[in-house]
Structures are given as structure tokens and as C-alpha cells.
Amino acid sequence: MAMTDGECVTANIAAGMTPAVALFRSLADETRLRIVRRLTAGEARVVDLTTELGMAQSTVSKHLACLRDCGLVDYRTEGRQSFYTLTRPELMDLLQAAEGVLAATGSAVELCPSHGAAGFETVTG
């Protein structure tokens, strides 16, 4: 699924972006990153994610669809409910490594204002 902002991994790769850049761009979206982080704790339904993350159902569903199309999450059905889970356990390792880098650098990573990050402040962990 190509999201309107073009941040889905498969859409970015199709547009000529390297797979690594496409992966990190997809995880750079705060909503998708929050969903992925939550799913590292185990499977969840859309209603669980909306409640736990304080997001609208439509927002969660849109981002889950992108993550599904990118091959990063999948779901299983049980009755009328869908339970979402990470397809790649390596994502947990990737997130832990990123947290380690942030801890090692004193969480001094700044977003580049030339790439639309105006208004963001330095990450403070």
C-alpha cells in the first residue's frame, strides 16, 4: 500500500530508494514506530492499539495496512477479531540497537531542519 506521503517501504523501493533507506523512512513515521514498538510486547487488536496509543481507529488501521504491505506486520483472525503481530523479530533488535545508540550519544540526535523537521527539538530520550 502506497501511503499518501510515500513512506511505505515497498512504495519507496519501487521509486528507486534502497531497501535500507526505505525501511528507516517507514520507521521514521512516529505513528508507525509507536505501533511497531507496541507490537514488540506481543500481538494486539486494532482496538487495543487505539486505546493504548490514544489514536483514532482510522489512523491505526491506515498505518497497520502500510506495515502489513511492507511485510513488517501480519495478522491472524480469531472469530471476527484480527490480532496483529510483528513478522520480523529482528525489528526488536533494531529498536534496541537504536535505543543503545541514543543512550551512547547522550540522546543528542537532532533532526535536520532542511528535511522538514522544523519545530522538532533535540531528542532527549
Side-chain angles (χ1 to χ4, degrees), residues 23 26-27 31-45 49 63-64 67-68 70-76 83-96:
L23 172 64
S26 72
L27 294 175
T31 299
R32 287 192 291 275
L33 183 58
R34 289 180 68 199
I35 290 170
V36 168
R37 281 178 174 262
R38 166 48 188 88
L39 292 177
T40 63
E43 67 181 15
R45 301 169 299 161
L49 294 169
H63 288 287
L64 280 170
L67 291 166
R68 233 182 27 250
C70 296
L72 300 177
V73 302
D74 204 356
Y75 68 97
R76 67 175 178 84
F83 293 84
Y84 289 85
T85 187
L86 294 178
T87 59
R88 306 301 322 166
E90 299 90 347
L91 276 175
M92 292 185 276
D93 297 333
L94 180 63
L95 294 175
Q96 288 175 340

Side-chain angles (χ1 to χ4, degrees), residues 10-57:
T10 53
N12 283 331
I13 292 171
M17 191 177 292
T18 66
V21 171
L23 172 64
F24 281 103
R25 283 193 69 179
S26 72
L27 294 175
D29 179 89
E30 182 178 1
T31 299
R32 287 192 291 275
L33 183 58
R34 289 180 68 199
I35 290 170
V36 168
R37 281 178 174 262
R38 166 48 188 88
L39 292 177
T40 63
E43 67 181 15
R45 301 169 299 161
V46 171
V47 67
D48 300 326
L49 294 169
T50 58
T51 301
E52 294 173 31
L53 302 176
M55 296 178 190
Q57 181 272 326

